[in-house]
Amino acid sequence: MFFVFEGIDGSGKTTQADRLEDMLVRRFGSRNVVRTREPGGWDGGDAARKFILDGGLSSLWGEFFFFMLDRCEHVERVIRPALSAGKIVLSDRYTPSTLAYQVFSNPAIDENAALYASRLADVIGLPVPDVIFFLDIDAGAASSRLASRGETDSFDGRGHGYFERVKAGYEKIMASSGDKWVKIDASRDPELVFGDIADEASRLMALRD
Ligand code: TYD
């Protein structure tokens, strides 16, 4: 079973992934649950994470291929072995992040280029998530959360307009590949948000058994 969390910065993904991890570890044991993240969720990936989040690249296509490279290593070393061993994998971000942040955030993106980017993960055979939880929050509310946490990397500094375009990008991706997505209203109290996630995860785990 492969769970993915997606959303703009400040949407609360990490908090919710922590809670789902706790719930699954209590039910299935820590040996059967693999919690990971992108970028950099593989042995040696910290340097890749630091490089990209410190603003190491200046073109969106450069970033696109870098995040894809990071993901190929992550899949090969962490995600695929865990899934093959029958474990539950929870990833904080995956391919939809690259499509939303590096492709659909670009208002000038060419239609063919967007299509190429959207198909690449399937063409190279990356595992498909069983469910993608999209934590839906408006860019203004997310920015206020980030500001109150005092967090900054070069992505956080890209400003409100960028995050609005990323959010619109997610909406486009969901509209064209909606069946795996579960959209959660993330503007609510975290307990309520988690209630929806826990219900959906339990439903899917029951179907698997
Ligand atoms: P993350 O650690 O999830 O940050 P946050 O918890 O603030 O959401 O991700 C770091 C940044 O990397 C985030 O701004 C989104 C960006 N990112 C991309 O632009 N493309 C990608 O493919 C991935 C995986 C992340």
Side-chain angles (χ1 to χ4, degrees):
M1 181 69 64
F2 184 15
F3 294 101
V4 167
F5 284 83
E6 289 286 352
I8 59 173
D9 298 49
S11 59
K13 287 176 293 84
T14 308
T15 308
Q16 297 299 332
D18 284 347
R19 289 181 180 222
L20 184 59
E21 180 188 7
D22 286 349
M23 181 183 108
L24 294 171
V25 165
R26 274 199 308 274
R27 265 189 219 172
F28 300 101
S30 56
R31 277 185 305 128
N32 294 310
V33 179
V34 173
R35 166 72 186 282
T36 186
R37 68 169 180 181
E38 295 190 350
W42 45 282
D43 200 16
D46 284 349
R49 181 178 174 91
K50 184 168 175 2
F51 171 76
I52 190 75
L53 298 187
D54 284 353
L57 296 173
S58 53
S59 74
L60 286 177
W61 282 107
E63 286 180 5
F64 174 85
F65 287 110
F66 192 93
F67 280 114
M68 288 301 287
L69 176 156
D70 174 76
R71 182 161 306 120
C72 289
E73 288 305 303
H74 187 212
V75 162
E76 214 47 41
R77 299 183 194 212
V78 178
I79 296 177
R80 212 189 289 281
L83 293 175
S84 300
K87 298 185 180 181
I88 304 167
V89 176
L90 267 88
S91 184
D92 191 340
R93 298 195 181 281
Y94 193 56
T95 311
S97 284
T98 311
L99 295 176
Y101 280 77
Q102 276 66 50
V103 179
F104 290 105
S105 69
N106 177 1
I109 187 84
D110 175 271
E111 209 178 298
N112 280 328
L115 200 61
Y116 162 81
S118 306
R119 291 193 175 153
L120 190 57
D122 280 344
V123 171
I124 61 178
L126 296 182
V128 178
D130 293 288
V131 63
I132 305 166
F133 290 114
F134 178 65
L135 298 187
D136 189 23
I137 190 167
D138 70 56
S143 303
S144 316
R145 282 191 188 172
L146 286 178
S148 70
R149 276 194 238 153
E151 275 179 24
T152 47
D153 55 41
S154 83
F155 284 75
D156 298 333
R158 288 181 183 192
H160 188 75
Y162 179 69
F163 290 113
E164 299 239 294
R165 293 199 302 279
V166 171
K167 180 167 153 60
Y170 274 119
E171 298 287 347
K172 267 194 206 164
I173 301 165
M174 270 186 278
S176 63
S177 60
D179 61 326
K180 304 285 180 182
W181 290 78
V182 176
K183 190 169 171 173
I184 310 270
D185 175 1
S187 64
R188 297 169 299 159
D189 184 89
E191 287 295 333
L192 294 174
V193 174
F194 184 64
D196 289 357
I197 292 171
D199 287 350
E200 184 60 18
S202 300
R203 192 185 67 80
L204 286 166
M205 297 304 297
L207 286 179
R208 193 186 73 148
D209 295 337

